[in-house]
Amino acid sequence: MTITSALVLYAVLWFMTFLIVIPIRLETQGDLGEVVPGTHAGAPENHHLKTKAKITTLAAAVMWVGLYFIITSGVISIRDFDWFNRMGDAPATAPVDGTDG
């Protein structure tokens, strides 16, 4: 895994997790009964974004480490997702000692 792909994987995990975490424990103006005139009752009053960003960073880091080890160890490869056999057979590997067979 290259550095670029590792960063992209972390960024995707972070944003997906953040979009899941944002609505958790959200306090709206309607919930608190203090709706500002001209705003929607569902507008957030207390969103706690710093705390949610910290939780997201920690959760994304844990998921990234797990996916990093799965990807780099070869437990799951791209050929595992070739359900229609479009990639053909895997190429044969040469013996380690340098002989022909």
Side-chain angles (χ1 to χ4, degrees), residues 12-75:
V12 169
L13 286 171
W14 194 92
F15 280 103
M16 288 177 57
T17 306
F18 192 59
L19 291 174
I20 292 170
V21 171
I22 284 176
I24 297 173
R25 293 185 52 209
L26 180 69
E27 296 175 356
T28 64
Q29 293 179 10
D31 292 339
L32 300 176
E34 302 170 3
V35 179
V36 177
T39 62
H40 192 275
E45 182 68 30
N46 298 323
H47 44 70
H48 310 289
L49 280 181
K50 282 187 180 182
T51 304
K52 291 178 181 183
K54 290 176 186 176
I55 292 169
T56 299
T57 303
L58 180 64
V62 169
M63 289 186 285
W64 182 87
V65 168
L67 287 173
Y68 175 80
F69 284 116
I70 289 172
I71 291 169
T72 57
S73 69
V75 172

Side-chain angles (χ1 to χ4, degrees), residues 1-12 64:
M1 176 183 294
T2 64
I3 293 173
T4 305
S5 60
L7 291 173
V8 168
L9 178 63
Y10 183 78
V12 169
W64 182 87

